[in-house]
Amino acid sequence: MSVSSSHPAEGGQFALLRQRRFAPFFWTQFLGAANDNLFKFAFTVLVTYQLQVSWLPPSLAGLVIGALFILPFLLFSATSGQLADKLDRRDMMVWLKRAEMLIMALAAWAFFVQNIPLLLASIFLMGLQSAVFGPVKFAYLPQHLSERELTGGNGVVEMGTFVAILLGNVAGGLIIAVPEIGAHHVGFTCVFLAILGRVAAHHIPASPAMDPGLVINWNPVTETWRNLKLAHRSPVVFRSLLGISWMWFFGAVFLSLFPALAKDVLHGDEQVASLLLVVFSIGIGTGSLLCEVLSRRHVEIGLVPLGAIGMSVFAIDLYFSTRGLPPASALGLQVFVANPLHWRVLADLTLLSLFAGLYSVPMYALIQMRSQPTHRARIIAANNILNALFMIASAVIAGALLSAGFTIPQMFLLVGLANAVVAFYIFMLVPEYLLRFVAWFASRLVYRFKVRGDEHIPTAGAAVLVCNHVSFVDAVLLMAASPRPIRFLMDHRIFKVPLLGWLFKLAKAIPIAPQKEDPQAYEAAFDAAVAVLREGDLLAIFPEGGITRDGQLQAFKGGVVKILEMADREGLHPSVIPMGLSNLWGSYFSRVEVRNGEAVAMVRPFRRGFFSRVGLQVGSPLAASAVTLDGLRNRVATLID
């Protein structure tokens, strides 16, 4: 059962902060993230700059603390995913906030007496509380938000999380630096934030259990394996989990090395370490919020390759901007910022983290949207398990490389190059990311593409999309307009067009040949089209049978009716969605040019320049039983401006 709104909040993603279904949850998450990071960063600064411990050297302190915080995600996420599917998620968040109050009271005492083992134990307990909270948090959003709100909601949560990380780290660094009483004040602040989080959780609306009859398997090993197998049922979801886990590997290297980067490479003091976290958090928050703007309020995974490219470019440039800086004594914030050599470092960190926001938010939204509601929390738990494995591996590998003599700038170079390799591998495994990136690029940077009526494209279930055919990029533009993958029924000759043919093969488009030319291939295409509907997916067809040669809407052929009749014989009754593309005639990809008496396309690059306006209007769904060729053609004609 879902209690999500069927209509997106008016006023965009920030309007959600005025609604009870989102705001109390947001502040509960925000205060928890702020508290975690205030404590972790204050503790890291304590053992890096103030309290020297022989068995915990400053260069490894951040890695050890980070690994200890992440360990409970590996051990307990499987159980927490089951609990989040079985119990009311609001009740779970309330109880978790009560637990946070007790943990922070213990941590406060450890700060008072400066007991390092007790602080490390508190870090582990904080990680345990966060491990249980994780599946609840990400399963809560799709339960209360519609598909059109999911990217914006995730963006606001991601932005809020990193603003909380920013404020927590800045506050932790500033408070711990107060002579003699800093550690005491850290303890008081942690307890106070835990109390505020408990108050916010009280106002979260009821979130009924998705699978109340679930029998809990308390064995973390077998349940972890079961969760991973559950996620693996959907290759797109599972490989997206791997993509997110890699991002946490990538990010963990940077976050854990910031104190040492500030001290040993940039020659700065505690305030410089805080500044690095400030710019990193601002970048993540900005990238997260940009996702809704760039995705037109849909789950747009085409932003993921863009994010991956930016992450590699600026991680590699960070290597060049941080090596060879002149030695100096501990620089204060003002002196550090006054040196232009440091501006490039700050720009690299800001842009790197901005692209990380573009990379992560659509992936999270995709997992939430494509996971079964009754299993969603357990799949999120599988995600947290993989995240923990990757982050622990990050700490181990980074520690080993540093011990082997690698410098911190060299670590950034290695991670940037590895990110390029891993991202390419993932996008080849899941072509949907690459296809969506091409569609996003074409619809935003080649054309100014405006979509109207896209709410008529169903977010679940089978449907037949019927559109006029004006150019060679029509299918790409339809991909950009749809929140879901589309399988296209296309003329077999288009697969011979360089690049476009490869693209459509990657999209698993169904080639169809004329019946007189190849009867067997003709029938196989219709069988494949019906199979798409049987699987509950979207099928798109251009019923004119070819790209227009004069810019006019041609007569519709009977293929679409045949598909609907074949589907009806199998008991399938997909809705039919009429669509109309406009202003594409005359563009480079249309057959507007005449060469040797033949209408051809793609012979005059930039024929209409860049950013020419094109549009798509989506009509209201038609019942399959009511569709006729003439009626459908007339409906499409009314949608063409």
Side-chain angles (χ1 to χ4, degrees), residues 160-180:
T161 299
F162 278 91
V163 168
I165 291 172
L166 161 63
L167 295 177
N169 282 301
V170 170
L174 294 176
I175 294 171
I176 196 67
V178 177
E180 298 181 1

Side-chain angles (χ1 to χ4, degrees), residues 439-460:
W440 180 87
F441 184 88
S443 62
R444 271 77 167 180
L445 301 180
V446 176
Y447 295 112
R448 284 182 290 175
F449 184 46
K450 183 176 182 180
V451 183
R452 291 177 292 172
D454 53 335
E455 68 275 8
H456 295 309
I457 302 174
T459 57

Side-chain angles (χ1 to χ4, degrees), residues 122-407:
S122 299
I123 287 285
F124 180 85
L125 291 174
M126 287 167 52
L128 174 58
Q129 189 261 0
S130 297
V132 179
F133 187 82
V136 182
K137 174 179 73 173
F138 284 107
Y140 175 90
L141 286 175
Q143 191 175 3
H144 290 267
L145 303 183
S146 68
E147 184 272 332
R148 289 173 65 84
E149 294 173 314
L150 204 51
T151 293
N154 274 286
V156 172
V157 169
E158 195 85 351
M159 177 275 299
T161 299
F162 278 91
V163 168
I165 291 172
L166 161 63
L167 295 177
N169 282 301
V170 170
L174 294 176
I175 294 171
I176 196 67
V178 177
E180 298 181 1
I181 60 172
H184 296 184
H185 286 179
V186 169
F188 288 131
T189 306
C190 288
V191 172
F192 177 68
L193 289 176
I195 293 171
L196 287 181
R198 169 63 185 87
V199 172
H202 179 77
H203 298 283
I204 294 172
S207 304
M210 293 288 101
D211 191 2
L214 177 67
V215 177
I216 302 294
N217 175 16
W218 298 101
N219 185 324
V221 177
T222 59
E223 186 59 28
T224 294
W225 181 247
R226 185 185 300 174
N227 284 353
L228 292 173
K229 288 172 65 178
L230 190 66
H232 196 265
R233 291 179 185 175
S234 171
V236 172
V237 169
F238 183 73
R239 288 162 184 168
S240 297
L241 299 184
L242 294 177
I244 288 176
S245 297
W246 168 255
M247 188 210 67
W248 282 108
F249 180 105
F250 180 92
V253 172
F254 288 88
L255 291 172
S256 62
L257 292 177
F258 275 171
L261 170 66
K263 181 181 179 182
D264 300 332
V265 178
L266 302 178
H267 315 296
D269 60 10
E270 296 98 319
Q271 293 182 337
V272 173
S274 296
L275 176 63
L276 300 183
L277 287 159
V278 167
V279 299
F280 195 84
S281 300
I282 289 174
I284 284 278
T286 303
S288 299
L289 293 178
L290 280 175
C291 286
E292 187 187 51
V293 177
L294 296 176
S295 66
R296 296 196 182 101
R297 304 186 75 177
H298 280 301
V299 177
E300 179 51 84
I301 62 174
L303 296 176
V304 175
L306 178 66
I309 292 168
M311 288 163 64
S312 282
V313 168
F314 293 105
I316 293 169
D317 192 66
L318 189 61
Y319 161 75
F320 292 102
S321 63
T322 53
R323 68 173 189 161
L325 292 174
S329 56
L331 301 175
L333 183 61
Q334 186 173 358
V335 176
F336 177 83
V337 174
N339 187 344
L341 291 176
H342 297 147
W343 297 353
R344 181 177 169 188
V345 175
L346 297 177
D348 282 337
L349 284 174
T350 302
L351 292 170
L352 179 153
S353 56
L354 184 150
F355 281 99
L358 293 179
Y359 177 95
S360 63
V361 169
M363 271 197 173
Y364 275 118
L366 176 75
I367 292 168
Q368 291 166 333
M369 187 176 73
R370 301 277 181 92
S371 301
Q372 293 182 32
T374 54
H375 298 77
R376 188 177 284 136
R378 278 168 282 174
I379 289 175
I380 296 298
N383 176 59
N384 290 344
I385 294 165
L386 290 172
N387 291 352
L389 288 171
F390 275 66
M391 292 175 76
I392 291 171
S394 168
V396 171
I397 293 171
L401 291 174
L402 289 172
S403 300
F406 279 77
T407 65

Side-chain angles (χ1 to χ4, degrees), residues 44-81:
T44 304
V45 170
L46 179 70
V47 295
T48 301
Y49 287 96
Q50 299 176 12
L51 188 64
Q52 301 299 317
V53 181
S54 59
W55 50 271
L56 189 62
S59 62
L60 296 178
L63 293 171
V64 170
I65 291 170
L68 198 57
F69 182 81
I70 291 303
L71 183 59
F73 285 83
L74 181 61
L75 299 177
F76 302 108
S77 286
T79 303
S80 63

